[in-house]
Amino acid sequence: MEYEYMRALRQRFFTEPDVALQKEVEKGWRSLSERVSKEDQRRILGLVDLQAALLEETTLASFVSGFQLALGIAGEITPYSFASDEEDRAEERRDHRGEA
């Protein structure tokens, strides 16, 4: 698979949807299934499956884009180094004393 590592990362940080929303969907499905034929139920389930697959691909693509953006930003930022910062401050103090 093209993005197996990204899928694993996304799964690591994925949070489950609100349980109340899932229950509402199930309640709506039960109500609808009582009113439509078995053939129409299969069609609806097929559409829902396609929508779920599309949502999965869309969320993965969004995660990958965000991850790539974060890597790009991280690459542009100079990492902080305590040692370098201390050396810079010491040098500034030496320069300041030398001027006085």
Side-chain angles (χ1 to χ4, degrees):
M1 295 286 211
E2 185 177 347
Y3 290 116
E4 279 308 308
Y5 182 71
M6 287 299 185
R7 285 183 200 279
L9 271 176
R10 180 181 161 269
Q11 189 63 34
R12 163 66 179 83
F13 295 104
F14 180 76
T15 54
E16 288 293 327
D18 185 6
V19 174
L21 291 175
Q22 289 177 340
K23 287 182 180 181
E24 189 67 30
V25 168
E26 290 170 14
K27 180 181 171 185
W29 172 249
R30 280 193 299 275
S31 173
L32 181 63
S33 67
E34 295 169 356
R35 297 183 181 138
V36 297
S37 69
K38 294 291 180 189
E39 185 178 329
D40 286 341
Q41 286 181 26
R42 280 191 290 278
R43 286 184 188 139
I44 292 169
L45 283 175
L47 289 172
V48 169
D49 287 345
L50 287 172
Q51 185 179 24
L54 179 61
L55 181 60
E56 175 72 21
E57 289 302 313
T58 302
T59 58
L60 178 61
S62 177
F63 180 82
V64 169
S65 295
F67 191 84
Q68 289 172 334
L69 177 61
L71 283 177
I73 291 170
E76 291 179 6
I77 297 174
T78 304
Y80 177 77
S81 168
F82 182 78
S84 294
D85 193 35
E86 285 298 306
E87 287 176 21
D88 291 344
R89 281 198 237 171
E91 188 174 315
E92 286 175 14
R93 283 186 290 237
R94 274 181 282 184
D95 290 345
H96 183 68
R97 283 188 219 139
E99 292 175 7

